[in-house]
Amino acid sequence: YEKAESDIMMRQPRDPQKDRLVNERLISVSYGQIGMIQASAGFFVYFVIMAENGFRPSHLIGIRKQWDDLKNEAVEDSYGQEWSYADRKILEYTCHSAFFVS
């Protein structure tokens, strides 16, 4: 906890025109730095889970049309293993969950 300030009631209140609670520096740190770190961590986890299940990042480029095709029950991963639509969606939702948890 913070130490008690004995002169807190003798100070002038902040100037609402000049002393903002949220300023440019706070926004740049929270969105610019922390947001980029969180986004990088999320994408890293997403690609790690996909790679662990056979879909390497280079194989994912351009696979969206096959991935979402309900009738396609044989989408091949990087190792030649075939994935059904239901299994692909389970993997996709697992990746989404890991992205948001990270």
Side-chain angles (χ1 to χ4, degrees), residues 28-42:
S28 68
V29 168
S30 63
Y31 288 108
Q33 293 178 352
I34 297 171
M36 294 301 283
I37 291 169
Q38 288 175 339
S40 299

Side-chain angles (χ1 to χ4, degrees), residues 2-86:
E2 294 181 3
K3 294 181 181 178
E5 298 179 37
S6 59
D7 65 340
I8 193 77
M9 295 305 289
M10 295 186 184
R11 291 185 195 167
Q12 291 291 322
R14 70 177 180 86
D15 181 10
Q17 299 300 319
K18 189 177 95 176
D19 302 326
R20 301 281 185 185
L21 294 177
V22 177
N23 56 22
E24 292 84 15
R25 185 170 188 276
L26 176 67
I27 291 172
S28 68
V29 168
S30 63
Y31 288 108
Q33 293 178 352
I34 297 171
M36 294 301 283
I37 291 169
Q38 288 175 339
S40 299
F43 283 116
F44 177 76
V45 170
Y46 191 95
F47 286 120
V48 164
I49 290 173
M50 292 298 275
E52 284 179 346
N53 285 281
F55 291 97
R56 303 218 173 197
S58 60
H59 190 75
L60 293 175
I61 297 171
I63 200 171
R64 190 67 188 184
K65 191 172 185 179
Q66 291 177 339
W67 188 271
D68 285 333
D69 187 4
L70 280 166
K71 296 178 179 128
N72 191 348
E73 291 291 326
V75 173
E76 286 190 10
D77 63 11
S78 301
Y79 302 114
Q81 179 181 346
E82 294 181 347
W83 287 71
S84 69
Y85 180 79

